[in-house]
Amino acid sequence: MDRAPRAGARAALLVAALLGTAFVVVVAVRTPWTLLPTPPGGATPASADAGLPAAVVARAESLAAAIRPASVANLLLGLVTSALLGLTRLGSRLVTAAGRPLGGRWGWQVLLGTVALVLVGRLVTLPVAAYAEVVRHRYGLSTRSWPLWLRDVGVSTAIDAGLTALVVLVLVALARRAPRTWWAWASVGAAGLVVAGSFLYPVVIQPAFNSFQPLPAGQLRTDVLELAEESGSPVQDVLVADASRRTTSLNAYVSGFGATRRVVLYDTLLADVPPAEIESIVAHELGHVATDDVLTGTLLGALGAAAGVCLLGWLLTRAPLLRRAGADSPGDPRVVPLVLLLVLLGSLVATPVQNLVSRHVEARADLHALDLTGDAAAFIEMQRRLAETNVSDPSPPAPWQWWFGSHPTTAQRIALAEDWLRLGER
């Protein structure tokens, strides 16, 4: 490698380190590491069964025993497939072959090659996904017909393949146009894409899978709107999503910004869940708005994406890595399988960090719900109802929770509510 490429590689690594440091600082400052002072007598220990009936816990553990191996298999299959395509000539040959019908131009190779790679990855894991859907049907979690399941798989694959192909096309085009500094421009673009995605996801992607209707006028709608006002996060509407077409799970969320902000309730919530429990789960979601969790998450996503692209710029100067993938440079269309592999590896490394932050943020939203409603009993009953209806293990194994747990366990959330009660009684 001559002096100029070496300097570019060092610059990419330096900028990646600086952006990574900024990411760590934001995590350290914005993550609520401590929520409550220790109540008299010490913190409430998390009960293993969260107060749920033994039959409910046994059913949740049975589902976990059936579904967790499928989750691990899906992860490993995707990783092995991506490694085979990215670290051998198989992937580069597939990219070249995909673009050949349209004259073999580099742009078509990148676009069609990326689509082909995404499709291969999805097809390899499709049997595992089908098995997981069978399990969800067996436990009454899924209500999807198989035609609807196939439609959902097709739509999500098309969106994933299309967006990925466009992003990779821009990356390769930048690498061809500015071989020494492409990673800098691409990192700015990656950060901008994260920001744009946060704004567009509620109004572009979500409607592809669910229909939304305004919650009819009534006491619940009035109470939810008043709750949002009291939280300091007024919303424009309260919508009901037709989630029951796909699941029996209970959920609600707040999406959008400013004029697009709305509370969304799963229609499954409206069947037989008491209003106080619905208000508790809505108050939790309003907590994310009150503490700007979406904005913080967007900032972290933008910093992480930019740092990842800079690190990618450094890695793609490694001649042995490029040779193994069958590519000559970052601007070679044959680099696409390697890029997808490196992105996948980066997301795997980031997963425990993301979930660590998420668990603390979700706990803060729980505390906001308790403070806003003042109803710990409804909060606790809602957590137990969620665990029973969603067939959730109240106390999953610690390694599983560390890697995959984006929320505190049911037992931990109930223990927090009991601490809140004890502190309020002082």
Side-chain angles (χ1 to χ4, degrees), residues 187-237:
S187 66
V188 173
L193 188 63
V194 169
V195 174
S198 294
F199 284 89
L200 294 176
Y201 183 83
V203 295
V204 176
I205 303 299
Q206 287 177 344
F209 296 95
N210 289 107
S211 296
F212 301 89
Q213 298 295 329
L215 179 67
Q219 191 60 50
L220 180 58
R221 180 182 177 87
T222 299
D223 289 345
V224 168
L225 291 173
E226 289 179 353
L227 200 65
E229 290 284 349
E230 186 179 347
S231 180
S233 309
V235 298
Q236 300 302 311
D237 204 353

Side-chain angles (χ1 to χ4, degrees), residues 1 44 74 76 98-99 108 127 161 176 184 191 205 207 209 227 229 253 261 281 298 311 347 382 386 390 397:
M1 186 188 300
T44 302
N74 185 76
L76 292 178
W108 288 117
R176 294 173 71 88
I205 303 299
F209 296 95
L227 200 65
E229 290 284 349
Y253 57 91
R261 184 184 296 150
I281 196 171
T298 300
L311 185 59
S347 68
M382 185 73 245
L386 286 170
N390 298 349

Side-chain angles (χ1 to χ4, degrees), residues 152-167:
D152 286 348
V153 170
V155 170
S156 63
T157 302
I159 292 173
D160 186 23
L163 291 177
T164 303
L166 290 174
V167 169

Side-chain angles (χ1 to χ4, degrees), residues 241-305:
D242 60 341
S244 59
R245 293 179 61 211
R246 294 173 169 83
T247 183
T248 59
S249 296
L250 306 176
N251 200 8
Y253 57 91
V254 178
S255 67
F257 296 89
T260 66
R261 184 184 296 150
R262 62 267 184 95
V263 171
V264 179
L265 307 176
Y266 276 22
D267 58 356
T268 51
L269 272 175
L270 305 180
D272 57 3
V273 178
E277 294 180 28
I278 296 176
E279 290 173 28
S280 181
I281 196 171
V282 169
H284 166 95
E285 298 304 326
L286 290 169
H288 290 306
V289 180
T291 51
D292 293 324
D293 290 340
V294 174
L295 293 177
T296 300
T298 300
L299 175 59
L300 288 173
L303 287 171

